[in-house]
Each structure stands twice: as C-alpha cells, then as structure tokens.
Amino acid sequence: MSSTTVTPAGAARRDADARDLRVAVVGAGMMGADHINRITNRIRGAAVVAVVEPDEGRAAAGVAAAPGSVARTRIEEAIDRDDLDAVLIATPGFLHEPVLLPALEAGLEILCEKPLTQDSDSSARILEVEQRLDRPHIQVGFMRRFDPQYRELRNLVETSDLGALLGLHCVHRNPSVASSYTEAMLITDSVVHEFDVVPWLAGSDIASVEVKPLRRNSVSAFADPALVLLQLENGVLADVEINVNVGFGYQVKTEAVFEHGIAEIGRTAGLTAWRDGHVVTAEHMSFTTRFAPAYDEQIQRWVDAAARGTIDGPSAWDGYRVALACEAGVAAQHTTGPVDVATAAKPDFYA
Ligand code: ISE
C-alpha cells in the first residue's frame, strides 16, 4: 500500500472477525519491549507482526519476544507491507510525528504513547491530518485512565456520593531519572500525566498552571522537587508534588477533597511484614509495574475498539489539550505566578 493512500470512511483494513489485529510496535526500548510482551502474552485479539527499531540489538530482542514478527528499521517499510492493521508508537516523544503522519495516511489504527507530540503546533498538524479520515484513529497512551483506583475515584466524582469535588492533592515520585532528563521534562515527561488525568477526574479543563520549586534536592541537577498547581475552569484546584529523585521507589498517589469527605488512591499496598522493630511493605520501583494492570487494560481496550472501528480512550484532541497545558507548565517554571493555558475550540470530529 502506498503511504499516501487514505482508508475510505468506515472501512477497517482488516477483516474484523477473521484474525488478530496485526500490530507494528515502533520503538523497542523499555515501553516498546513491555508492550511487545503484553500483546504477545497477555492481550487477546492482537499480534505483533513487525518491530520497527533502528537499534539492531533491541530489534532482535523484540522479534525474539514476538514469534512470527519481522524487524524493520523505518515505519514506511512496515506500512508498505499489506499485512498491517495498526501501529503502537513507543519511541521518544520527539519521534512521534514522523511515525504518526504516515500511519494516519495509511489509515491505520494507532496507539501513541504519551505525549502525542512535543508541542502544540505539531499536535495541531496531527489533528488536521487525522480529521481527513472518517473518524479518530489515534488513541494516546495516558494509561492512568485505565487504572482501577483512578476509575473508582472518577466514579465517586461523577456520582457525587461525597458531594462535589473541591480539590486534589497529587504526588508523583520517581526513584531517579536518566542523566538526559531535563527540568522541562518534569512537566513534559512526568506531570504530563496529571495534565491528562486531573481534568478527566474532575470533568473540567485546566485554566492555568503555576510552578513553585521546593527546596532543591542536592542530588538533582535542576529545580526538583516542585509543586505544580493546576487551576481548573470549574474551580477545582489540584496540587502535584513532582519529585523525580526520591530514591526509595515509584509512588503515585492522589487525595481527593470532597464537600462531605476525603478519598485516597495509590497508597502503598501488598504484603506487609512486622519484624525486628520495623513494618515493611514493598514499594514499586517503576511505572511499568505500578501501572501494569492499567497498561494491560488500555491495550486490550484499544485492540477491542479497533475491531469495532473506533478508539476507546484519550484521543488526539486530549493529547493536543495536554500539549497546551505543558507549554503553560514549562513557561511557569520560568516565571512566578500562574500561566494561562491557551484555549481551543473542540472540533465536532472529536465530540
Ligand atoms: C515516564 O516517562 C512516565 O511516563 C511515567 O509514568 C512517569 O511517572 C515518569 O515520571 C516519566 O519519566
């Protein structure tokens, strides 16, 4: 198939009831490898048929983990085959756009790891190309929406069981980060998740973002940890402690303040041992285990939705809104006080 072919409205490229969704996983680093394993061993209705990865060692490991798959170095080589229905993009964010554009032009189903793209201009270009198709084809990998506790909390907000939601206290802690991680990535790589999940929980868009550093951790190369304040349009205020050199483990928690009570999710759980004067419960060390059930659910629902010719999760529009919030967040790292998030009218295409 030529890379300029656009799938006609409503026509799924595959025979939905006949076979698995044939997926090319693009990028076989930590997340790509995790997804290859997930699709191959834990998800129903999908198979990895290609691993697109320029690094030979990673490509070989990816192909070995997905029997029957082939290695390709460029997305175009995978698309040119006629045995592909979908792409799962797990490259670093700055490489998303060059994969998204040919995948959209080929009318493929797309699961794009967060962020959609690196900035709102490139995200807007993606929206424009996607809107030439019959319907949204891109689901963005904001996996927290599929975490059972986040879903329970959202349900509590929606049912108003504890009255209206007033505020959220969020913590987002990483044991450490790579030396390539920058101060801006506190926002674009980490708080990007809260920029998606907080509006989803609270049912309201982010109006402004403010960033206040805590006292700097001496092991950090930049202003970390920091407090990020999200003012939502409906009056809910969310504070996020982003802390990427916390050492002890990976921790994501939220306390929700309602009119008639408090709710908490993400508390460290599991087997607890009392011994030698200590109480010990294992903590996660990585998001890949902390959110493993959420990733599984996310990918399963994406696969099931593809069979119905739809998506079932955050859309490219959500990704674009998050890109706008990230721009305000990065600007807020360099100024005092809140920075407004640019507003944009949602196209009917994403209704
Ligand atoms: C990482 O890229 C993720 O997406 C994790 O969920 C997040 O907790 C971490 O801070 C990011 O670096």
Side-chain angles (χ1 to χ4, degrees), residues 34 38 42 143 146-148 284 286-299:
D34 200 41
R38 168 169 294 110
R42 296 209 292 282
M143 77 299 185
F146 299 90
D147 176 77
H284 288 283
S286 164
F287 47 88
T288 54
T289 59
R290 163 67 176 84
F291 286 110
Y295 283 119
D296 285 355
E297 177 76 8
Q298 167 188 255
I299 301 299

Side-chain angles (χ1 to χ4, degrees), residues 30-31 113-115 141 143-144 172-178 181 185-186 188-194 242-244 250-252 286-288 291 295:
M30 180 176 61
M31 273 325 295
E113 270 296 342
K114 62 83 193 168
M143 77 299 185
R144 290 194 192 177
H172 186 164
R173 299 177 177 138
N174 291 197
S176 62
V177 280
Y181 190 100
M185 287 168 77
L186 286 173
T188 60
D189 196 54
S190 296
V191 179
V192 64
H193 284 289
E194 279 80 10
I242 181 65
N243 191 340
V244 297
Y250 182 85
Q251 202 174 56
V252 170
S286 164
F287 47 88
T288 54
F291 286 110
Y295 283 119

